[in-house]
Amino acid sequence: MIGLTADTQVVSPFSASTLLDILPMSFSSAFRCLICAVCFGALFPALALAHGQRQEDFYRLGRATGYVLAQDYVVGQIAEKYPELSTSVAQFNDAFNKRFPAVREKLEQHVMGFGLTREQFQGIKDNMLAGSRSELNALVKNREDAKRLLLGYTMRIYMPDAEEREVVLTLNDVVFDEQPEREFDVDSVAYSSQSLPNSKGVDIRLRVPASWEHKPGNGSLILDSWHKIDGHARISLILMRVPVKMKSGQWGDQELKRLIADPAILSELVGGQELVEASADLTEYGGRKAIRYTMKEVQTIQGVRLYLSSVKMITGEGDNVVVADFHVVATEQPLAEKMQARYAELKKRIFDSVQIFPLGADPVDESRAEAAPAKP
């Protein structure tokens, strides 16, 4: 579920002047006005704050709800006015529902997570359409308009513009909440560290789900990171490069076993956090031998205890240690472990996508494959 952060800042609801921009400009003004401040904004302080969830998430859900609601209405009007287009309507509905399975039920579920009842949510949707039907009806003036709209709606499933893309990412977040690996399969983005000034001789390539928030590294050891809020937990992937005095030929089983046995390595990984449990084994990662650490830790920030469940993959390229840290932070240890289990398959897909090359290497086949966006 779209969720919370410990540092949430609450801002006032959208003003009326903001609402014309709440849906992509490719829609009519009425289409864009379907999300209204009275329905979504005014309800937020009374309902959502009790859940600790972010106001920005509530607006994102509202925008996505209006997107689907208006599209459903217009497509329904096309089906009613032009029965000869029934095959095209059915093809569009099938494509949309396959790309965003159970999207209407999922939107309702997530909005109700902010404290609304099903009846309140239905009332909001009714109000959204009440003042917009005339303009929405005007979109379908004739058969050619209907065909053009269906084509446009179909194209934006797979090729949304920049504004529509934000709605698509919210829909991804909503429909794949229970199986986050499915977003990776239909909508992931490619990453390469080769252009970073702190990559220092190593090019790390991988794929991550498109809806995850990307944060650049700190210019030192952290190359990049990606994050997702899921209810009361935060899931993160952090990519690090640590310089060491080792050469690539030394990354064999014996050397890795020695590293596993070295308490200084574990101490570095834990930092100042309280280590509850840790285990390590040998595996493969990025096309080479690696150490996999599975850890449970506790971190106290301003008197609040946070529980971490993490899997850290460690391998080498030249005189660099490459670390991919996939971890969950939650306010309770059982929740951290539950989320680590929920995201286990996605974690595997991300780790399996990793490729590590000396900087400057450009394997043509791999680079082309990585540059291509994932297809639904």
Side-chain angles (χ1 to χ4, degrees), residues 320-341:
N320 291 291
V321 173
V322 178
V323 182
D325 178 1
F326 190 101
H327 69 257
V328 176
V329 180
T331 52
E332 299 176 355
Q333 186 66 49
L335 178 59
E337 295 175 14
K338 175 184 176 182
M339 287 298 178
Q340 189 67 249

Side-chain angles (χ1 to χ4, degrees), residues 48-354:
L49 291 182
H51 293 265
Q53 293 174 305
R54 301 179 300 179
Q55 188 178 33
E56 65 186 83
D57 294 325
F58 197 52
Y59 283 121
R60 285 174 55 212
L61 286 170
R63 191 180 189 193
T65 298
Y67 182 98
V68 175
L69 184 64
Q71 178 178 271
D72 284 351
Y73 181 84
V74 173
V75 173
Q77 288 299 299
I78 293 173
E80 181 178 329
K81 293 181 179 179
Y82 306 102
E84 67 272 22
L85 297 179
S86 60
T87 299
S88 297
V89 168
Q91 289 174 339
F92 164 75
N93 284 331
D94 184 59
F96 185 79
N97 292 330
K98 282 183 177 178
R99 175 61 181 81
F100 303 106
V103 64
R104 297 157 191 85
E105 294 82 357
K106 285 289 189 177
L107 281 169
E108 179 178 279
Q109 174 189 330
H110 281 252
V111 171
M112 288 172 62
F114 282 82
L116 277 72
T117 65
R118 183 169 285 105
E119 291 73 21
Q120 286 175 315
F121 183 52
Q122 185 58 51
I124 289 173
K125 292 191 293 182
D126 291 343
N127 286 337
M128 285 179 174
L129 283 174
S132 304
R133 283 194 176 89
S134 60
E135 283 198 60
L136 290 174
N137 288 336
L139 293 175
V140 191
K141 299 183 182 69
N142 52 54
R143 188 173 181 275
E144 290 306 308
D145 279 348
K147 291 170 65 177
R148 177 182 52 80
L149 284 166
L150 284 174
L151 177 60
Y153 291 173
T154 301
M155 290 181 63
R156 75 184 187 199
I157 295 175
Y158 307 109
M159 295 181 292
D161 64 25
E163 290 183 276
E164 293 163 352
R165 181 67 171 153
E166 293 302 312
V167 176
V168 168
L169 294 181
T170 301
L171 296 180
N172 283 347
D173 204 25
V174 166
V175 301
F176 301 127
D177 58 345
E178 295 297 328
Q179 295 178 294
E181 69 276 6
R182 292 185 63 188
E183 180 184 4
F184 183 93
D185 295 338
V186 302
D187 196 359
S188 61
V189 293
Y191 166 83
S192 170
S193 68
Q194 64 179 339
S195 63
L196 299 178
N198 59 334
S199 59
K200 303 296 183 183
V202 61
D203 178 13
I204 308 163
R205 306 179 190 184
L206 52 77
R207 301 194 76 91
V208 293
S211 70
W212 283 40
E213 178 187 5
H214 171 244
K215 291 191 174 181
N218 58 12
S220 179
L221 301 182
I222 296 178
L223 296 172
D224 275 292
S225 63
W226 297 263
H227 307 271
K228 175 183 173 62
I229 304 300
D230 191 336
H232 293 264
R234 183 182 182 92
I235 299 90
S236 298
L237 173 69
I238 300 178
L239 194 61
M240 293 174 280
R241 179 207 58 83
V242 183
V244 293
K245 294 180 179 179
M246 292 175 63
K247 298 302 179 185
S248 57
Q250 295 177 274
W251 291 95
D253 286 355
Q254 292 305 313
E255 185 59 31
L256 292 177
K257 288 177 181 178
R258 187 194 69 77
L259 290 175
I260 288 176
D262 186 346
I265 299 295
L266 188 59
S267 177
E268 286 292 327
L269 291 174
V270 174
Q273 294 160 183
E274 174 189 338
L275 180 63
V276 177
E277 182 181 311
S279 63
D281 62 342
L282 297 183
T283 184
E284 288 195 359
Y285 154 67
R288 59 204 65 208
K289 295 181 182 297
I291 303 172
R292 174 174 51 213
Y293 280 94
T294 303
M295 306 170 68
K296 296 178 184 177
E297 305 155 79
V298 177
Q299 185 177 22
T300 303
I301 300 177
Q302 297 180 346
V304 177
R305 286 172 67 83
L306 298 174
Y307 297 86
L308 286 75
S309 174
S310 66
V311 175
K312 297 175 173 63
M313 302 288 277
I314 302 173
T315 191
E317 168 53 48
D319 55 359
N320 291 291
V321 173
V322 178
V323 182
D325 178 1
F326 190 101
H327 69 257
V328 176
V329 180
T331 52
E332 299 176 355
Q333 186 66 49
L335 178 59
E337 295 175 14
K338 175 184 176 182
M339 287 298 178
Q340 189 67 249
R342 174 182 290 181
Y343 284 84
E345 189 57 41
L346 173 60
K347 173 182 63 187
K348 180 179 184 301
R349 280 167 163 74
I350 292 174
F351 285 160
D352 286 348
S353 76
V354 172

